[in-house]
Every structure is written in C-alpha cells, then in structure tokens.
Amino acid sequence: MGVAQLKSGGLWKWRSFSGQPKRTVMCKWVCGFMLFSLGVISLFTGHVVSHLEWAQQLSKRSLLDISRKEPIDVWKSKYSKFFYGCSERGKSFPPAVQEHKSNGYLLIAASGGLNQQRTGITDAVVVARILNATLVVPELDHHSYWKDDSDFNDIFDVNWFISSLTKDVTIVKRVPDRVMRSMEKPPYTMRVPRKSTPEYYLDQVLPILSRRHVLQLTKFDYRLANDLDEDMQKLRCRVNYNALRFTKRIQSVGMKVVKRMRKMAKRFIAVHLRFEPDMLAFSGCDFGGGEKERAELAEIRKRWDTLPDLDPLEERKRGKCPLTPHEVGLMLRALGFANNTYIYVASGEIYGGEKTLRPLRELFPNFYTKEMLANDELKPMLPFSSRLAAIDYIVSDESDVFITNNNGNMAKILAGRRRYMGHKRTIRPNAKKLSALFMDREKMEWQTFAKKVKSCQRGFMGDPDEFKPGRGEFHEYPQACICQRPFSYDKTSTDDEEEEDIPGEVHNNTSSGHGHLSSADSERDEVFPD
C-alpha cells in the first residue's frame, strides 16, 4: 500500500468515526497511525534491502565485467586474489563411522594413468562415506597401457592419506586377517556404471556390501556422479587437494626441478604436451606429416577395435584435435609471451621426436624438461611412468602459468587444483576457434593473427569469471570449494602496483604443499585418459 493511500485511509477513518465514543475513536486512530508507520518502515527497509542486494550483485558483476573489458595479463589474473579454496568440514558433518561399526570393507581397483587414478581414489573416499564403509587403501592399476607396477605407497604418502581423513572416513591398509578367515566366499567383485548417483550406491551396492562384508569395485574411474551435495563436494576437495600427497622422495625431486627453473627465471610457463603416437592415433586427427604419418597412426589405431572411422578435417574443425607443439608456441607468442620466456615442457614420448619439437624450441629457446634438469635424480624412476608423471604434476602445479594442448585428465585435474589454489593462470586452448585460425594463418599479417588469437582465448585463460556453476567435471571446476572475498577495485590497483616492487622468485599467493617435505567422459577417455 502506498503512502498516499495510507494517509487518505487514515483521514477517512478519522472522519467516519468522529461521532463514536472518544475512546473508540482514539483507539482506531492509534491503530491507523501504527499501520501507517509500519507501511512507511516496510517501504523504507524494502528499499534498503533491495539496495544492499543490488550493491552485492553490482560488486560481483563489476568484477567480472571489468575483467572482460581489460587487456589480458598473460601472467596472472588481477582478480584472482578475491577467490580462495575453502573445503573445511561443516559443523553438521557427522564424524566417520568406526571400523567395527561400519557396513563392511570397500576394496577399490583404480584404473588408467596417474591422474585418472587420482580421480578414482578421490571418489572412492566419497563412496565409502556414502556407504558407511571402511575403505581399504585403493589398489593402483598395473595392467593399463602404461604397465606401471607402482603401488599406492610408492606414489602417495599412505600414512598421511589415512590420518588426514580420519574425521571423514575410516581407512585401513588391508582387510584384517580375522575377517578374511571368517569369509565363506572370496570378496564380491562388481563394476558400477559411470557417473552413478549416491542413490545407486545405496540401492544397488550397499545391500551386497552388508551381506558379503567385503566388496571390491573394479575399474574405478569416474564412477561417481558429478553433482553431489556441498558436504560431499568439499570432501572431494579435501581428498584431492590435501590428502593425496606425494611421497617425500617424489616431492623432493619435483621441488628440485622447480627450484632449478626458479634459479634461471623468477617466473616460468609449464606446457603439458600430449603428443605421444598412441594418443595421436586415438584422436583420429591429421597432424601434417603426410602419407607416412597417416600409415603409422592408422596401424597403431588398430589396437582399439571399437573406435569409429573419423574424418580428420571434421575432427579438427570441431576442436577435437590436440594442438601440435608448433601451434602451442604460436598461440603463446600471439598472446604476448616473449621469446625469452622460460618454459618447462611436461610430456612423455613425442611423436616425431626432436623434429616435432624444433618449431617450439625456436619460438622459445629457454626450453627445459625434467630430464634436462634432474637426469641423475630421475634414473631410479625411469621404469615407472606414474612417478615420472608425478614430477611433471608438481612442476606444472608450481608454475606461474600452466598450459595444455589437450583436454585429458592431467589438464582437468591441474586446472581444478590451480583454481582452488587461488586461480593461478591456467590456459586451455579454444581449439575449435584456433583450428580455423591456424589453417588460415599464412593468409594474414602477424598482428592480425595475434589479435584474433587474443580474442578467441578470452574465457579460456583461467580467470575467475570463467567459473560457471554446473560447467564441466567437478574435478576441473570445483565450484563448491571456491569462496570469494569482498571486491574493491581501488584496492586491486594499489595492491598490484605494490606487488610489482616486491622482489622474489615465487609469486603464487597460495602454497601448494609440494614444498613441505617434512609431511609432504566418455568411454574413449576411459581407454586413453592421461
């Protein structure tokens, strides 16, 4: 009701009841005045509330709108300082069920390379929580393409893994002998569908676990739904970003490589190149190597009976082909990285070897790998692909800028971790738009090409405004674990100016934990993930 209506209503009541007894008239006059006052107060406070909400929304929108209009800082986002990882256990989150009170023992057989197994281990902890089960330390994959015989405790600090999650899930190293002796049958083995919901586990898995007491879930990768309630998503983050800590030996070698890079340059880029022969054959793409390349990759592709026939040109237009090392270099130079920028290349075997890498080396002569920086320290790890991948993981995580030429598991896992650790600059190529540019780059001047690259890479630079609820895999976009500080544009400008004058080599605000040595979707992805 408007103010004018309230006033006229009060005046009408005064006149209408003027002939009634004085007490009645006075009482109704007071009631009318109170209603009028409440109306004015509610009208005013309503405006106050709406202005507060508007201000909050404006603050959030202004941050995002400003970042979209400003030139891209290739080394860091100006607004990353307003976001931080937050995965603390909620007060209403019940403690872990004790081993003797649990519904049984859950065995997990992980699948794939290091980073695919990492997602499986993370989800295994959450599934154990859903089932009120005691989790047995997961078994790593010894039979995949990588043929790595490493066990869990060869790669991860198993004691830290168990102790850091004590309040969330009870974890043991093995099923007790007394339980195994009491079993009439071997542990029941099953494989759950991909992206299974908590309800599926409660309806289909829990009855079997309760009946058999020991249950093994095989090929456990991406077997839990992407969308869970906030408490369970935060548990995922506690596992992935805290509990899964590499062994002291792996951390030591990884940080030595980082320090050697920092000794040469105060900041550096880590480039994750997936350009192995098997990966290229699996993609079904053409990489400009002519008939020899097509014949070699076609022969390798025969390993997979179920792969469809693909049109290489159509796959490239759809953005499904990994960038070549040369294309990665061109993109980086177009974005504004100088020729003297130091880059660390994280990769396995590169198809074509030095010939394939030469164009990238020419664009960035300060080119280093783990083999170049820590050859002696790596020798004991050479037979173990997962341990070598862990070194690349550490250096890539510690880098100032991380870029990948693919959308594999390491790319996704590190993108999520770097968002959680303060939105450290993480570049993923907009392959669909870039492919058209690369095909036409000879037809345009370099300045035009660079301008177009910068344009199509907006939204693919790891800025906070790329963070949209429900987008992509949770491991890549851990939105439930990202919190925002109040935004002040003036303070941002001042802080940046001050930060430029601060000497030092490490510019990441959030510690990743690698240096603390004292403690330290498709089925096609399933086949060739890391």
Side-chain angles (χ1 to χ4, degrees):
M1 183 179 290
V3 176
Q5 289 176 302
L6 283 169
K7 285 182 177 179
S8 61
L11 181 60
W12 179 83
K13 288 178 182 178
W14 174 260
R15 288 177 175 172
S16 298
F17 294 100
S18 59
Q20 294 183 9
K22 186 175 182 181
R23 177 177 293 181
T24 304
V25 172
M26 181 62 69
C27 179
K28 295 199 174 188
W29 181 86
V30 170
C31 289
F33 179 78
M34 289 176 65
L35 286 171
F36 167 75
S37 301
L38 285 172
V40 172
I41 292 171
S42 64
L43 190 65
F44 174 76
T45 56
H47 277 299
V48 170
V49 171
S50 65
H51 280 307
L52 285 173
E53 292 173 348
W54 176 82
Q56 291 170 351
Q57 290 298 320
L58 180 62
S59 172
K60 187 174 181 180
R61 286 174 56 194
S62 62
L63 185 156
L64 303 183
D65 291 341
I66 292 169
S67 69
R68 291 190 187 106
K69 294 174 182 178
E70 290 181 337
I72 296 174
D73 181 338
V74 293
W75 286 103
K76 65 179 180 178
S77 168
K78 179 184 290 187
Y79 305 98
S80 62
K81 60 170 67 82
F82 297 106
F83 297 85
Y84 61 97
C86 51
S87 59
E88 295 81 6
R89 190 179 296 100
K91 293 181 180 179
S92 60
F93 198 60
V97 63
Q98 296 178 359
E99 182 178 353
H100 67 280
K101 293 181 179 179
S102 72
N103 290 322
Y105 294 88
L106 183 65
L107 304 171
I108 294 291
S111 175
L114 174 66
N115 295 290
Q116 185 169 347
Q117 292 185 93
R118 192 182 187 102
T119 65
I121 295 166
T122 298
D123 288 348
V125 173
V126 180
V127 168
R129 173 80 192 198
I130 292 169
L131 298 173
N132 272 338
T134 296
L135 178 66
V136 180
V137 171
E139 175 187 331
L140 300 190
D141 189 349
H142 297 161
H143 308 291
S144 67
Y145 165 81
W146 292 267
K147 299 292 188 297
D148 189 327
D149 293 331
S150 299
D151 292 321
F152 189 99
N153 61 348
D154 293 321
I155 297 176
F156 300 109
D157 185 337
V158 65
N159 293 325
W160 171 256
F161 177 71
I162 293 171
S163 63
S164 65
L165 294 169
T166 299
K167 295 181 179 180
D168 297 307
V169 173
T170 298
I171 305 174
V172 296
K173 293 183 179 179
R174 59 195 299 268
V175 179
D177 290 337
R178 58 177 175 76
V179 175
M180 295 298 290
R181 286 195 300 267
S182 67
M183 293 173 59
E184 297 178 357
K185 299 178 181 178
Y188 188 87
T189 299
M190 65 182 294
R191 186 191 300 182
V192 298
R194 281 195 153 200
K195 308 291 181 67
S196 294
T197 63
E199 291 74 23
Y200 177 91
Y201 282 97
L202 293 172
D203 294 342
Q204 304 296 324
V205 180
L206 181 57
I208 299 173
L209 176 65
S210 300
R211 187 170 65 251
R212 298 293 292 269
H213 303 298
V214 181
L215 171 66
Q216 182 181 47
L217 300 180
T218 62
K219 209 165 179 60
F220 200 82
D221 60 333
Y222 295 101
R223 304 291 163 175
L224 182 61
N226 194 47
D227 296 323
L228 303 174
D229 67 51
E230 186 171 303
D231 283 332
M232 291 302 184
Q233 299 289 49
K234 286 183 178 291
L235 176 55
R236 268 176 163 162
C237 294
R238 290 197 293 277
V239 179
N240 200 357
Y241 307 137
N242 181 50
L244 283 176
R245 177 181 293 173
F246 292 120
T247 63
K248 291 181 180 180
R249 173 63 182 160
I250 290 175
Q251 288 189 61
S252 175
V253 175
M255 290 308 298
K256 280 183 181 178
V257 176
V258 172
K259 288 174 182 176
R260 287 166 187 172
M261 286 296 296
R262 296 277 182 213
K263 191 174 181 179
M264 294 183 288
K266 69 176 184 179
R267 55 189 184 183
F268 70 94
I269 302 172
V271 180
H272 179 224
L273 285 181
R274 289 299 313 279
F275 216 70
E276 303 93 334
D278 298 76
M279 194 267 189
L280 303 187
F282 187 82
S283 72
C285 298
D286 190 324
F287 298 94
E291 189 57 40
K292 180 177 180 290
E293 175 196 286
R294 284 191 287 273
E296 290 175 349
L297 297 185
E299 187 63 30
I300 297 173
R301 194 172 169 81
K302 291 178 181 178
R303 296 179 188 175
W304 296 281
D305 297 330
T306 58
L307 293 184
D309 291 328
L310 300 172
D311 182 332
L313 183 58
E314 286 301 315
E315 290 300 291
R316 185 164 293 279
K317 288 180 178 178
R318 293 173 58 214
K320 299 299 182 181
C321 299
L323 270 61
T324 67
H326 187 201
E327 289 171 338
V328 171
L330 289 172
M331 183 188 73
L332 290 173
R333 292 298 300 275
L335 286 172
F337 289 102
N339 174 260
N340 62 354
T341 301
Y342 280 71
I343 69 170
Y344 172 87
V345 175
S347 71
E349 176 191 1
I350 297 293
Y351 179 71
E354 182 57 33
K355 181 181 177 182
T356 302
L357 287 174
R358 189 177 300 123
L360 178 59
R361 284 182 183 272
E362 290 173 353
L363 289 167
F364 293 96
N366 297 315
F367 175 111
Y368 294 91
T369 65
K370 57 184 177 291
E371 290 81 8
M372 296 169 65
L373 295 169
N375 188 52
D376 292 339
E377 293 90 339
L378 289 176
K379 285 179 180 177
M381 301 183 182
L382 292 179
F384 307 101
S385 61
S386 289
R387 300 180 206 184
L388 294 175
I391 302 300
D392 280 338
Y393 182 101
I394 291 171
V395 182
S396 297
D397 184 34
E398 292 286 339
S399 67
D400 298 275
V401 177
F402 174 66
I403 177 171
T404 176
N405 73 329
N406 65 91
N407 198 33
N409 285 297
M410 180 169 168
K412 291 177 181 177
I413 289 287
L414 269 172
R417 179 179 175 85
R418 290 172 68 88
R419 286 185 174 96
Y420 182 83
M421 293 295 176
H423 281 274
K424 295 190 288 185
R425 178 66 81 202
T426 303
I427 302 173
R428 54 193 182 93
N430 184 352
K432 189 172 182 179
K433 290 186 176 181
L434 285 175
S435 62
L437 279 178
F438 287 131
M439 286 190 284
D440 292 339
R441 73 177 186 274
E442 301 296 337
K443 302 176 184 177
M444 62 184 84
E445 296 290 333
W446 172 255
Q447 290 80 1
T448 303
F449 174 76
K451 183 178 180 180
K452 288 180 179 292
V453 168
K454 290 174 183 175
S455 176
C456 72
Q457 277 300 121
R458 280 197 179 273
F460 292 79
M461 299 291 289
D463 286 308
D465 58 336
E466 297 171 19
F467 200 77
K468 298 175 182 177
R471 177 180 181 177
E473 295 286 344
F474 180 79
H475 297 292
E476 184 178 7
Y477 295 94
Q479 60 266 25
C481 305
I482 306 293
C483 294
Q484 183 178 350
R485 297 185 179 93
F487 169 61
S488 169
Y489 183 74
D490 293 335
K491 188 175 186 302
T492 304
S493 303
T494 304
D495 287 351
D496 282 349
E497 290 170 3
E498 291 174 354
E499 191 171 300
E500 288 176 1
D501 296 330
I502 299 175
E505 295 180 347
V506 181
H507 296 272
N508 298 332
N509 295 329
T510 309
S511 172
S512 66
H514 297 306
H516 302 303
L517 303 181
S518 59
S519 36
D521 159 88
S522 64
E523 290 298 328
R524 292 178 67 189
D525 290 335
E526 182 178 359
V527 180
F528 207 96
D530 279 324

